[in-house]
Amino acid sequence: MPIVHLISDASLPSIWDNLGATDIGAVPTLLIVAILSLYLFGSWRVARIDPTAPWSMKRTGAFAGAMLVVFVAVELFVGAYDDTLFYDHMIQHLLLIMVAAPLVAMGAPIDLLCRATSGSPHRFVTKLLGSRIAEVVGHPIFGFACYAVLIPVAHLTSIYNYLLTNELLHDNEHLAFLVFGYLFWRPVVGIESSRHPLSPGMRMLYLALAVPVDTFSGLALVSTGHELFPAYLSVHRSWGPSLVGDLHIGGAVMWVGGDTLMVFAMIPIVVQWVRAEDEKARQIDALLDSQLGHGPPS
């Protein structure tokens, strides 16, 4: 039986009038605190093991920022309405996979794990990361495939309806967006060690190929003429957009919001690409000058 939520105009006129609403849960809170605590402990261990090369504060800040975004998306006002409004759910998903996940990748948790362990644990971690499974999971194609499958399956199929009516599945969905998002963004960020690093040009192509995933899923939702998810029929709200209008707004959020964030992510890659090409040009010029006898190579 679907879960029925009774919401009145008087208590909840609109999402924007209730930005202070929360949906604090014991399990998500404990997970966020535990993960951040382990990361901070790891950074402390690195400083103990190698005081001359402590863990980067920028990476620690990025990871802490990721956990803050997860907290906002899951437990503050965004999370409070994720099973009431479809478009709010889309905002939540964008925060998790397009903001929190790349911040996790910038935090380089795998590299931290390698540096924070020693002795038998370090040997185990090294062996695990050197395995065939780790190579497959860490390959850019695997991360891209996870993203390309997750987005349409999680928003255009009946799986989404099950997630709305099962709290455990719903929590696991958030975790999946964060983990798969990390695997997707890891080769784009390019901080952690990888057997298959991508050049700036390939990173641009990687992101460009991902744009149609959000576009297709968003357009499919914008073009629908009926409610796709029966769970929302049981949410008796007398405020906000209509059921179909809610889907349309959510589709627009995915389409426009997702594509915009992808474009923003391309900007630093373009800058890095230009700098790399400039450096190559300087090296070629220096080599030509040395060969022509105009001076020693720099």
Side-chain angles (χ1 to χ4, degrees):
M1 293 294 290
I3 300 174
V4 178
H5 303 269
L6 297 177
I7 302 173
S8 67
D9 263 329
S11 63
L12 198 56
S14 75
I15 186 174
W16 304 113
D17 294 329
N18 289 267
L19 297 182
T22 61
D23 186 23
I24 306 298
V27 173
T29 301
L30 288 175
L31 282 175
I32 292 171
V33 172
I35 291 171
L36 181 57
S37 298
L38 284 173
Y39 188 96
L40 295 176
F41 175 74
S43 64
W44 175 81
R45 280 276 300 168
V46 170
R48 287 289 303 274
I49 294 172
D50 188 2
T52 62
W55 188 249
S56 168
M57 290 299 295
K58 290 182 179 180
R59 296 185 184 182
T60 301
F63 195 87
M67 294 301 100
L68 177 61
V69 173
V70 173
F71 180 72
V72 171
V74 175
E75 302 204 81
L76 295 190
F77 71 93
V78 178
Y81 300 98
D82 61 357
D83 58 354
T84 304
L85 289 166
F86 179 79
Y87 79 79
D88 180 77
H89 214 135
M90 293 306 98
I91 294 173
Q92 181 186 67
H93 287 177
L94 284 183
L95 286 173
L96 291 174
I97 202 167
M98 302 291 281
V99 181
L103 285 174
V104 170
M106 292 178 190
I110 300 300
D111 282 359
L112 176 62
L113 179 62
C114 290
R115 292 193 58 191
T117 53
S118 59
S120 298
H122 181 73
R123 289 191 292 271
F124 173 78
V125 169
T126 302
K127 182 178 180 180
L128 181 63
L129 294 177
S131 67
R132 180 63 177 171
I133 294 177
E135 181 179 6
V136 172
V137 173
H139 198 287
I141 293 178
F142 184 86
F144 184 91
C146 287
Y147 183 87
V149 172
L150 178 65
I151 296 299
V153 168
H155 299 113
L156 301 178
T157 69
S158 59
I159 291 178
Y160 182 86
N161 196 71
Y162 289 120
L163 298 173
L164 290 174
T165 58
N166 188 299
E167 192 65 27
L168 179 60
L169 290 179
H170 199 169
D171 289 340
N172 285 325
E173 177 201 32
H174 298 155
L175 185 60
F177 268 81
L178 198 60
V179 172
F180 290 171
Y182 161 72
L183 294 176
F184 172 80
W185 287 104
R186 185 172 179 266
V188 176
V189 172
I191 291 179
E192 290 188 316
S193 304
S194 174
R195 303 185 203 179
H196 307 281
L198 298 180
S199 65
M202 288 303 296
R203 294 180 200 178
M204 285 290 294
L205 178 61
Y206 183 92
L207 290 178
L209 292 175
V211 169
V213 176
D214 292 318
T215 303
F216 166 78
S217 300
L219 285 175
L221 292 165
V222 168
S223 62
T224 187
H226 63 280
E227 176 57 62
L228 298 176
F229 310 111
Y232 283 122
L233 297 174
S234 65
V235 180
H236 299 286
R237 59 177 172 85
S238 54
W239 56 276
S242 65
L243 292 174
V244 174
D246 188 23
L247 287 178
H248 290 171
I249 296 173
V253 168
M254 177 182 293
W255 173 21
V256 179
D259 290 358
T260 300
L261 290 173
M262 284 289 188
V263 172
F264 282 153
M266 292 178 183
I267 295 175
I269 298 175
V270 170
V271 173
Q272 185 181 21
W273 194 1
V274 171
R275 289 176 178 173
E277 293 301 317
D278 287 344
E279 180 61 27
K280 287 181 181 178
R282 283 194 294 268
Q283 291 176 356
I284 292 174
D285 288 343
L287 180 61
L288 291 175
D289 287 343
S290 66
Q291 291 176 345
L292 293 175
H294 293 165
S298 57

